[in-house]
Amino acid sequence: MENPAEKTPTRWESLPSWLLNQTANHAHRLVGDGFSSVGARGYHYRLLATLEELGPASQAALGRRSGIHLSDMVATINELADHQLVERAPDPADRRRNIISLTSAGQRQLRRLEKRLAESQDELLAPLSPEERQRLTELLSKLLDHHNRRTGTPEEPWR
């Protein structure tokens, strides 16, 4: 039986694509665990942050602004509304449409989520200096921007 401590790394374990994928798995787990510790998930953070940053909007506009697909948007809004984190109100310009707004409870939850997110980022990037963290973020942004422009595909952030 092979001793895992004696295992010689294979070529693919040093490929950037492998390293990015494995690191992304850790990032997803850390962020998901952080959000779930306060009864939330990534879509909740994205929607609350979008509302705080850009203000009340229709479900369709929120989907475009947050990158949350409309098929997931209704469930996300329902979950947040059930906890009084967002409010739905008829749009005065078109009563067939609802306008979604952030509540004060939603703002407090957003602060909790931001705290958990910062802790997750710190845990993920623990071995890096502040300068290395900044450089890594710049390089990842450059890669993502390049591939998004080539494919015309927006990023798929946390769920």
Side-chain angles (χ1 to χ4, degrees):
M1 184 166 183
E2 185 177 318
N3 181 350
E6 296 174 9
K7 183 177 181 269
T8 303
T10 58
R11 282 188 293 239
W12 49 265
E13 289 177 302
S14 63
L15 293 171
S17 57
W18 171 260
L19 295 168
L20 283 168
N21 188 283
Q22 296 307 297
T23 303
N25 289 338
H26 289 291
H28 184 76
R29 178 185 51 77
L30 290 168
V31 170
D33 289 351
F35 285 160
S36 70
S37 72
V38 291
R41 54 194 186 96
Y43 278 176
H44 297 165
Y45 170 74
R46 287 168 52 192
L47 186 58
L48 294 173
T50 299
L51 285 168
E52 183 181 66
E53 196 170 323
L54 301 173
S58 68
Q59 290 178 189
L62 283 172
R64 288 188 300 275
R65 293 174 181 176
S66 67
I68 299 173
H69 193 275
L70 288 179
S71 63
D72 296 314
M73 180 59 70
V74 173
T76 302
I77 291 171
N78 287 342
E79 291 165 2
L80 294 172
D82 287 347
H83 292 94
Q84 289 81 47
L85 303 175
V86 299
E87 290 179 334
R88 286 187 185 100
D91 183 345
D94 183 350
R95 302 203 55 82
R96 295 170 296 172
R97 179 172 52 196
N98 284 319
I99 298 296
I100 312 303
S101 303
L102 185 63
T103 65
S104 57
Q107 289 174 324
R108 288 190 300 276
Q109 176 70 343
L110 180 58
R111 298 290 87 76
R112 284 188 288 275
L113 294 177
E114 287 172 335
K115 182 176 187 276
R116 294 293 187 240
L117 188 54
E119 291 167 355
S120 299
Q121 303 304 301
D122 283 343
E123 187 174 347
L124 178 68
L125 302 174
L128 302 179
S129 70
E131 295 78 21
E132 289 171 322
R133 291 176 183 206
Q134 179 63 36
R135 185 66 181 141
L136 176 64
T137 301
E138 290 168 359
L139 291 171
L140 290 172
S141 293
K142 184 176 184 177
L143 282 171
L144 186 59
D145 289 346
H146 168 77
H147 290 288
N148 283 346
R149 278 195 307 276
R150 282 188 56 209
T151 63
T153 307
E155 61 185 276
E156 175 55 30
W158 313 296
R159 290 179 175 242

